[in-house]
Amino acid sequence: MVTYKLPHKEFFAALKEGKLLGLRCNDCGAYTCPPKINCNECASMNMEVVELKGKGEIKTFTVMRIAPEGFESWVPYIVALVQLEEGPNLVGNIIGVDPDKVTDDIIGKKIVVGWQPPPPDLRFCGPIGKDGKIQPGGIAMTFSLV
Amino acid sequence: MRKVAVMGVGMTKFGPTEKSQVELFAEAAMEAINTSNIKSKDVQALFLGNGLGDFEEGQLNLAGFCANELGLPPETTAMRFEGACASASIAIRNAFLLVASGAYDIVIAGGTERAFSMGTSLATRTFAMGTDSKYEEFSGLTFPGVFAMLAHLYADKYNVPLPKLKERMAMVAVKNHKNGAKNPLAQFQKEITVETVLKGFVVADPLQLFDCCPFSDGAAAVIVTTDEIAKKHVEKPVYILGAGQGSAGSLCRQKDYTIMPSRIVSAKQAYKMAGVEPKDIDVAEVHDCFTIAEIVLLENLGLFEFGTASEAVEKGETEIGGKIAINPSGGLKAKGHPVGATGAAQVYEIVKQLRGECGARQVENAKIGMTDTLGGDAGSIVNLIFGI
Ligand SMILES: [Zn+2]
């Protein structure tokens, strides 16, 4: 039997407590985050759950002006791809920056990782429960400039 | 492996329609069957690309309904292939592999979709299901968002000033609309200017309306068979020389996605199997879901050096009559993008180009053609190479 070391529910629960968890590979040393069943670099399952520093750098971004259904109340909002100090990339929202004023200069800026709840009443985002609604628990990762 | 050919091809006009997905597919498929000079009963398998049919019409298990609609016998294998926007190309690649292996002699492969009819908000939401629904979707990321970030990444990596890159991206749209204006099946048959693109509203910075392909309804289908059968039924069989497919995970796993590993391997497989090199390709139908996407994929396919494709666009090297004709059909941008049908429409165009049947948009002397189809944020990539 194989047991998933860090399922998404536990990953999100830790993030809500301010801890960014990931997995360190005992074979190649690489970090995997968000979690997977095996190492993102060498596919080894010889990994342990570790707390990451939650720090990184912005690789790229966009300001969303046309939202998918459910996210209209957020417009305009910034989505970014960041690289963590430990190596992996994350997708999330840059917060604390005015979307109308952000420029390319933000690429390369240092950030810390946090989280925010998604907009309420999403219809199609994550697993659907017995009540026909999206099951709560999913959150967006956020990036704040340091 | 047996030598595999495409016989007849069929396609509906792309754009808004009142017809159902089964009705659309039936039109495209019967055209493919009729122009192959075969009967419905001759088809042994139906491989259907479809992305979001369940959301569009509340209809699952479309393949069986399509098989019955066409009058295929009960022993027909009918199944749906889903790989987001690459669905039909996956269906056609599997048809190719299974005909090559001897499992089937005649397969109809294609796709159908009614994405336009959903409306922009729901379509954007359901399309975004192609991104990671655990770790990325809660940020409100959409496909325009993915490619908008790619544009910033590209500008930053290759030191192309963003306004310059934006202008070159606009030229991709201008070229594809120019080609689409000559395609009677295209959703948009109207030329535009760089100014049109740069005046559009912003969807996801720096992408504006005309940097994005439209939501579309439509279907396309092709008959895949053996060399021997094709020669008996049609005058100009077009051969599938090579096929490749690659996969990838969430956007965050892909590191620097100006170089998409799934596309690099897929193209390499296809070139190797076909025994050709990028320089041998005369015409390509590629996945220009966004203008920046066309620029990046031209480099990933090895058709242009990394960092140089935007300049090549500016120089006109990707126009019909240029170094290599890219998207003579108008591409996803002008011809339209009915997700699950897109790959089959690309194959439709390449087959017609290699047969010399494209009229005003004909690429002269086209001997080797290629398709490139991307599903999700590069989660599925298929490349097919054709020859005569
Ligand atoms: Zn490892």
Side-chain angles (χ1 to χ4, degrees):
Chain A
M1 193 184 126
V2 170
T3 305
Y4 208 102
K5 278 191 179 132
L6 184 55
H8 69 286
K9 284 216 153 186
E10 291 170 29
F11 174 79
F12 285 141
L15 194 57
K16 283 179 175 175
E17 286 168 12
K19 282 185 224 159
L20 179 67
L21 298 185
L23 298 137
R24 187 178 54 220
C25 177
N26 290 324
D27 288 339
C28 78
Y31 289 83
T32 296
C33 178
K36 271 187 353 116
I37 195 144
N38 57 23
C39 173
N40 195 48
E41 298 300 323
C42 76
S44 165
M45 286 189 63
N46 182 12
M47 299 196 297
E48 54 191 303
V49 177
V50 293
E51 185 178 344
L52 306 181
K53 280 181 270 183
K55 291 178 184 169
E57 174 183 313
I58 296 168
K59 304 291 286 180
T60 186
F61 74 102
T62 181
V63 181
M64 298 293 311
R65 301 274 170 188
I66 303 290
E69 185 191 284
F71 286 85
E72 294 87 348
S73 61
W74 277 15
V75 171
Y77 58 97
I78 310 175
V79 177
L81 181 75
V82 307
Q83 183 171 25
L84 297 173
E85 283 185 11
E86 292 88 352
N89 287 352
L90 289 179
V91 168
N93 300 113
I94 296 180
I95 54 170
V97 172
D98 184 350
D100 289 324
K101 292 188 182 142
V102 66
T103 68
D104 268 16
D105 296 338
I106 201 164
I107 293 174
K109 291 261 162 66
K110 305 279 185 207
I111 57 91
V112 290
V113 179
W115 67 279
Q116 67 179 355
D121 301 324
L122 290 182
R123 276 209 294 168
F124 307 118
C125 219
I128 294 163
K130 285 183 189 148
D131 57 0
K133 290 186 176 164
I134 300 298
Q135 291 183 313
I139 52 176
M141 282 167 262
T142 59
F143 312 128
S144 309
L145 297 184
V146 290
Chain B
M1 296 268 280
R2 302 193 289 179
K3 193 170 175 187
V4 176
V6 175
M7 297 200 280
V9 294
M11 179 178 157
T12 66
K13 186 182 179 305
F14 282 4
T17 179
E18 304 259 290
K19 289 173 187 143
S20 76
Q21 294 179 105
V22 169
E23 289 164 347
L24 287 169
F25 188 74
E27 290 185 351
M30 284 315 303
E31 183 189 346
I33 288 171
N34 293 342
T35 56
S36 296
N37 301 308
I38 58 170
K39 300 277 182 237
S40 292
K41 66 171 173 50
D42 300 324
V43 177
Q44 297 160 328
L46 181 149
F47 292 172
L48 183 75
N50 182 248
L52 299 162
D54 3 17
F55 289 90
E56 288 152 2
E57 293 183 335
Q59 182 67 70
L60 265 180
N61 210 4
L62 268 175
F65 295 109
C66 285
N68 176 256
E69 177 81 20
L70 299 176
L72 307 191
E75 57 267 35
T76 307
T77 303
M79 51 185 171
R80 167 184 172 184
F81 288 75
E82 191 273 308
C85 310
S87 298
S89 291
I90 296 172
I92 293 171
R93 177 170 176 267
N94 277 277
F96 161 66
L97 294 173
L98 288 168
V99 169
S101 73
Y104 303 109
D105 291 328
I106 301 180
V107 179
I108 185 157
T112 188
E113 201 80 50
R114 282 189 78 195
F116 179 91
S117 306
M118 278 198 286
T120 300
S121 178
L122 181 57
T124 308
R125 170 76 253 131
T126 51
F127 274 47
M129 290 176 182
T131 63
D132 182 332
S133 72
K134 287 203 304 280
Y135 296 127
E136 296 181 351
E137 254 189 67
F138 291 110
S139 68
L141 180 63
T142 61
F143 280 106
V146 169
F147 285 89
M149 292 204 292
L150 179 60
H152 281 293
L153 199 60
Y154 188 94
D156 187 61
K157 178 174 177 179
Y158 295 114
N159 277 315
V160 187
L162 196 61
K164 186 69 184 166
L165 181 60
K166 289 264 304 157
E167 201 188 330
R168 289 167 171 176
M169 284 158 55
M171 289 171 187
V172 172
V174 170
K175 166 185 70 77
N176 290 349
H177 273 262
K178 187 174 155 193
N179 295 346
K182 296 173 187 141
N183 184 351
L185 298 182
Q187 183 164 353
F188 301 124
Q189 298 174 32
K190 205 177 135 199
E191 294 202 26
I192 57 166
T193 63
V194 167
E195 208 183 22
T196 320
V197 184
L198 297 178
K199 273 193 332 209
F201 62 81
V202 178
V203 175
D205 158 77
L207 300 185
Q208 290 166 266
L209 178 65
F210 279 86
D211 287 298
C212 310
C213 69
F215 295 114
S216 318
D217 302 339
V222 306
I223 303 288
V224 179
T225 188
T226 66
D227 175 28
E228 217 169 69
I229 295 172
K231 277 184 181 147
K232 273 188 210 152
H233 289 89
V234 295
E235 242 174 73
K236 294 180 181 171
V238 169
Y239 296 97
I240 304 182
L241 307 180
Q245 185 169 341
S247 64
S250 325
L251 193 63
C252 70
R253 313 278 187 205
Q254 296 181 39
K255 315 235 161 85
D256 169 9
Y257 66 110
T258 59
I259 300 172
M260 297 174 183
S262 51
R263 185 173 255 140
I264 305 276
V265 296
S266 164
K268 265 193 190 150
Q269 288 171 16
Y271 289 131
K272 191 178 169 202
M273 189 186 284
V276 302
E277 291 177 39
K279 67 170 172 50
D280 300 321
I281 307 294
D282 301 311
V283 53
E285 283 287 313
V286 300
H287 206 86
D288 59 324
C289 46
F290 301 94
T291 50
I292 184 65
E294 180 164 314
I295 289 168
V296 167
L297 73 86
L298 290 175
E299 298 173 2
N300 281 217
L301 298 181
L303 299 172
F304 293 92
E305 298 288 323
F306 284 105
T308 67
S310 75
E311 199 186 340
V313 169
E314 188 173 8
K315 287 183 183 160
E317 292 180 8
T318 58
E319 303 217 15
I320 296 172
K323 185 181 158 203
I324 172 170
I326 300 295
N327 282 330
S329 72
L332 281 58
K333 178 72 202 72
K335 181 179 57 188
H337 179 32
V339 188
T342 282
Q346 292 176 321
V347 172
Y348 173 97
E349 177 73 10
I350 292 297
V351 166
K352 293 251 174 183
Q353 285 285 349
L354 297 188
R355 287 193 206 145
E357 297 170 356
C358 285
R361 63 179 199 282
Q362 179 65 43
V363 178
E364 252 182 77
N365 256 325
K367 298 256 179 345
I368 297 183
M370 180 174 192
T371 63
D372 168 89
T373 331
L374 168 145
D377 28 26
S380 303
I381 301 250
V382 177
N383 292 110
L384 301 168
I385 296 177
F386 299 84
I388 43 179

